[in-house]
Amino acid sequence: TATADTLGLQLDWSEGAAIGAEKVSNGTFDANVTGWTVNGSATVNWDADGGEGAALVNVTGAGGGITDSQTIAATAGKMVRVVVRVRLGTYGATTLSLTLDGVGYVLSGLTASYQTFVIFHLAADTDLDISITRAGAITGTFYVGSISAKEVSGNHLYQATAADEPSLILTGGL
C-alpha cells in the first residue's frame, strides 16, 4: 500500500488474525474435479498438468468458467481469505473474473505460469459461492491449480464503498 492509496480492509491482529481450517473440498484438484462444475458455456475436466493436477477449463462462450457445486461453510459477516492459483492455456486474454458471493474480483496479468491471488472477502451468508469465469468475449483454456477458503479470526474493519474508503496518509516523515 502506498501513500494516498485507499484502504478497504484493516485486519484485526488482537486475535493474531489466525487463519482457520480449510473450507473448500477438493480445492487442490489432486485427482478429479469432484465438487466443481461448469459455469455458462464451458467444459471442466481434470488434467495432470505436469503432475500437479488441475481443473482444465475450456471456455466456449458466454459466462464460461468453473463454479463450486458444494456447500462451502462460512460465517456470515466474517472475513474469509480466498487463495486462487491459475494459469493460462489457450485462453486469449490475461484477465479472468473471480466471483465470491456475487462480488466480482479481477484476476489480471495472467500468463502461462501459475500465479497466486489472495483476496480477503466478507462472507455474505453461510455458503460461500465461488466461480472463476472469462472476462469479456474470450474463449480458450485456463487451468485452476487450487482454490482455498479459510476464515480469518478477529473483528476486522472494512469499507465496501470505494468512495468512502479512508486514505493512507504519511505524517511526520520517516
Side-chain angles (χ1 to χ4, degrees):
T1 304
T3 302
D5 283 353
T6 58
L7 304 174
L9 169 66
Q10 179 180 349
L11 294 176
D12 172 12
W13 292 97
S14 67
E15 297 178 33
I19 305 298
E22 181 59 58
K23 302 289 186 178
V24 176
S25 295
N26 195 28
T28 56
F29 307 106
D30 291 332
N32 57 51
V33 291
T34 301
W36 301 90
T37 190
V38 298
N39 189 77
S41 298
T43 59
V44 176
N45 295 292
W46 182 82
D47 189 272
D49 197 25
E52 182 171 331
L56 171 59
V57 182
N58 184 11
V59 178
T60 57
I66 185 171
T67 191
D68 71 88
S69 61
Q70 59 186 286
T71 298
I72 301 174
T75 305
K78 289 291 187 179
M79 197 61 61
V80 178
R81 183 189 74 173
V82 177
V83 180
V84 177
R85 288 185 63 246
V86 293
R87 76 173 187 84
L88 299 179
T90 62
Y91 184 72
T94 59
T95 304
L96 291 169
S97 296
L98 170 67
T99 305
L100 305 171
D101 288 334
V103 177
Y105 300 90
V106 176
L107 307 178
S108 63
L110 295 169
T111 68
S113 298
Y114 275 107
Q115 291 175 299
T116 301
F117 295 87
V118 179
I119 289 115
F120 288 88
H121 172 76
L122 187 67
D125 55 32
T126 58
D127 181 10
L128 180 65
D129 298 314
I130 300 175
S131 65
I132 301 174
T133 58
R134 73 181 190 165
I138 309 299
T139 58
T141 60
F142 64 88
Y143 295 81
V144 181
S146 62
I147 300 174
S148 171
K150 299 178 180 181
E151 285 187 2
V152 182
S153 66
N155 296 304
H156 312 289
L157 300 175
Y158 59 91
Q159 175 51 264
T161 307
D164 294 332
E165 292 174 352
S167 295
L168 177 65
I169 304 297
L170 178 64
T171 61
L174 297 175

